[in-house]
């Protein structure tokens, strides 16, 4: 099967000669990690086969979070931890997107602005949800940062997964309506105001475009799959989805890369062909700066609210799902 690493091997030298002195340290690290992942350059272990006694070589993974080959095991580990935190309730999935006029500012200040984006999205939703007309309680929010479209175009946005309900001031659980969490138009306005306020504090010398006030900031909110285990799998796909998966590659020939993609709400696959250097540029621009958190937790899911979360689990009749053994995790990763 073709891999992103194959693109780097064939055309990486030319890319480094052209852009190497301009690449961010995190981009260079990802470039070499993906190139060397599960090769002799990473070292490895030698095992003796139980049947024939011959040595078997297993090379180490790079563990880079942008590597398409290194996410399976990490996904399973994350799943085991989250099994203890989910609630027996329906869930909502929200997507909050920044207008294109802000993309370049965010791109040039990623380490600061990605955090602003996630905090503004979570605070906006919690502010509206606290209103008794909607939920009237404190939510649990998992925020997942994404920076790309399916064709690797720069498009910063955040996904929020939210249990359908919240905790009141007196410690009671109140359920949200079945297909309604908060009004999307109102959330868009609140999100815009909070984001701009945070951005101005974070970048006091940066002027923001006037156009952001004359257009609606796109937000999508809908109830999602039900059932604790299904929600868990759904979350994992968003947490450990890299910018591009190896399975989407079709061909790497004559300095060009052809891959498949699907537009939002479409089932059929489309194809796109890019020059190899443009493909690498698009891929690497979505490598997050070092120490940047892709996932953050707010409200009753915040790490400091463990006791409150356990109380909510009792109120909602939730029993933490069993934690799989190491052998079960390994077998799930191998299949």
């Amino acid at each position: 099967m073709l891999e992103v690493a194959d693109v780097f091997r064939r055309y990486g030298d030319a890319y480094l000669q052209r852009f190497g002195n301009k690449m961010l340290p995190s981009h260079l690290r990802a470039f070499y990690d993906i190139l060397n992942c599960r090769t002799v350059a990473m070292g490895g272990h030698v095992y003796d086969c139980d049947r024939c006694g011959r040595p078997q070589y297993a090379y180490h993974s790079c563990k880079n979070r942008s590597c398409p080959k290194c996410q399976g095991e990490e996904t399973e580990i994350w799943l085991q931890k989250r099994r203890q935190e989910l609630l027996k309730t329906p869930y909502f999935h929200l997507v909050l997107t920044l207008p294109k006029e802000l993309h370049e500012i965010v791109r040039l200040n990623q380490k600061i602005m990605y955090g602003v984006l996630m905090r503004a999205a979570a605070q906006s939703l919690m502010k509206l949800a606290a209103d008794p007309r909607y939920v009237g309680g404190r939510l649990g929010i998992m925020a997942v940062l994404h920076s790309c479209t399916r064709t690797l175009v720069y498009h910063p946005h955040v996904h929020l997964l939210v249990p359908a309900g919240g905790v009141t001031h007196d410690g009671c659980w109140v359920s949200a309506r079945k297909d309604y969490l908060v009004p999307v138009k109102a959330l868009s306005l609140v999100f815009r105001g909070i984001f701009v306020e945070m951005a101005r504090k974070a970048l006091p010398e940066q002027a923001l475009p006037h156009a952001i006030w004359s257009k609606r900031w796109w937000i999508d909110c809908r109830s999602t799959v039900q059932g604790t285990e299904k929600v868990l799998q759904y979350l994992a796909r968003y947490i450990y989805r890299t910018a591009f998966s190896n399975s989407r590659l079709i061909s790497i020939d004559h300095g060009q890369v052809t891959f498949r993609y699907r537009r939002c709400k479409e089932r059929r696959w489309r194809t796109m062909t890019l020059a190899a250097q443009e493909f690498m540029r698009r891929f690497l621009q979505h490598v997050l700066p070092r120490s940047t958190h892709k996932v953050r937790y707010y409200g009753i899911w915040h790490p400091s609210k463990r006791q409150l979360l356990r109380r909510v689990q009792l109120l909602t009749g939730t029993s933490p799902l069993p934690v799989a053994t190491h052998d079960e995790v390994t077998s799930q990763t191998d299949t």
Side-chain angles (χ1 to χ4, degrees), residues 277-330:
Q277 290 197 5
E278 173 61 12
F279 175 84
M280 288 186 282
R281 185 197 70 81
R282 289 195 186 190
F283 180 90
L284 290 171
Q285 72 177 339
H286 304 297
V287 174
L288 297 179
R290 186 176 181 180
S291 302
T292 300
H293 295 286
K294 184 178 182 180
V295 186
R296 299 192 182 195
Y297 305 89
Y298 301 91
I300 62 174
W301 268 344
H302 191 275
S304 65
K305 303 297 181 182
R306 299 296 183 189
Q307 291 186 349
L308 177 60
L309 177 61
R310 297 294 177 256
R311 174 181 172 83
V312 174
Q313 287 181 323
L314 291 174
L315 292 173
T316 57
T318 304
S319 298
L321 295 178
V323 177
T325 64
H326 176 74
D327 290 341
E328 290 172 336
V329 171
T330 303

Side-chain angles (χ1 to χ4, degrees), residues 238-255:
Y238 278 95
I239 301 297
Y240 287 98
R241 178 185 293 170
T242 58
F244 189 90
S245 63
N246 289 329
S247 61
R248 292 172 57 192
L249 282 171
I250 298 175
S251 66
I252 308 171
D253 293 304
H254 308 297

Side-chain angles (χ1 to χ4, degrees), residues 7 11 254-258 273-281:
V7 182
Y11 307 109
H254 308 297
Q256 295 184 319
V257 178
T258 301
T273 299
L274 298 173
Q277 290 197 5
E278 173 61 12
F279 175 84
M280 288 186 282
R281 185 197 70 81

Side-chain angles (χ1 to χ4, degrees), residues 45 47 77 105 133 185 192-193 273:
H45 287 83
Y47 301 92
I77 294 173
I105 295 175
R133 292 177 297 173
K185 290 184 178 180
R192 182 179 66 185
T273 299

